[in-house]
Amino acid sequence: MSFATAPTKRVKQAATLIQRFTLEELRQLAALVPELELVERGRRLSEAAQAYYHQELEQLGEAYPPLGDDEPFVGGLTVSQYFALPEEEQERLWNAEFAMDIDDFEEHEVRPNAYIPARQKRCA
């Protein structure tokens, strides 16, 4: 497990105490501190998203192999150079590369009561 900053002394002390709790005491603590459930739910969602991502990659097989660390990526940088940048700089480069204007989209005339099934493009 990695942290953005090192855990404080208070957090370490609480963790030591909580590790001694029984399952019933942990349930009681979760009921008294609902924010703990949000952290756990976020972790489970993250794990589920990662599992889904890996499952999708497996289905693609070699059709779309993942980029290597030294392959060109965004803004003239390689994959490893890009991900070594601070998050704000990554976002700035990404937005500069993939910015879209409303004029980039094609407009279609449609009747006000037109029914267009999801994921289906209707051309005039």
Side-chain angles (χ1 to χ4, degrees):
M1 180 180 297
S2 64
F3 299 98
T5 59
T8 64
K9 184 176 180 180
R10 286 178 37 193
V11 170
K12 289 178 184 177
Q13 290 171 341
T16 301
L17 178 62
I18 291 169
Q19 289 172 345
R20 296 182 182 137
F21 283 6
T22 65
L23 187 55
E24 179 55 32
E25 289 171 326
L26 288 172
R27 286 188 183 113
Q28 292 172 11
L29 179 63
L32 291 171
V33 187
E35 293 84 359
L36 292 174
E37 175 59 29
L38 294 176
V39 170
E40 175 62 18
R41 188 176 304 141
R43 184 189 64 76
R44 285 193 310 258
L45 285 172
S46 176
E47 289 173 354
Q50 288 177 13
Y52 174 79
Y53 170 76
H54 289 292
Q55 177 186 355
E56 290 295 309
L57 275 181
E58 286 176 16
Q59 289 179 356
L60 287 174
E62 292 301 313
Y64 296 97
L67 292 173
D69 286 343
D70 295 330
E71 292 189 58
F73 193 52
V74 174
L77 300 174
T78 64
V79 172
S80 59
Q81 290 169 331
Y82 176 82
F83 285 105
L85 295 172
E87 207 170 297
E88 298 80 22
E89 183 65 10
Q90 288 179 18
E91 185 174 351
R92 188 191 68 73
L93 281 171
W94 187 271
N95 290 337
E97 185 86 16
F98 299 105
M100 296 184 80
D101 189 76
I102 191 71
D103 295 329
D104 294 340
F105 297 94
E106 187 178 339
E107 204 172 295
H108 295 276
E109 292 292 327
V110 234
R111 295 184 323 271
N113 63 346
Y115 170 74
I116 301 172
R119 299 181 184 226
Q120 192 168 17
K121 181 179 173 183
R122 183 175 291 175
C123 297

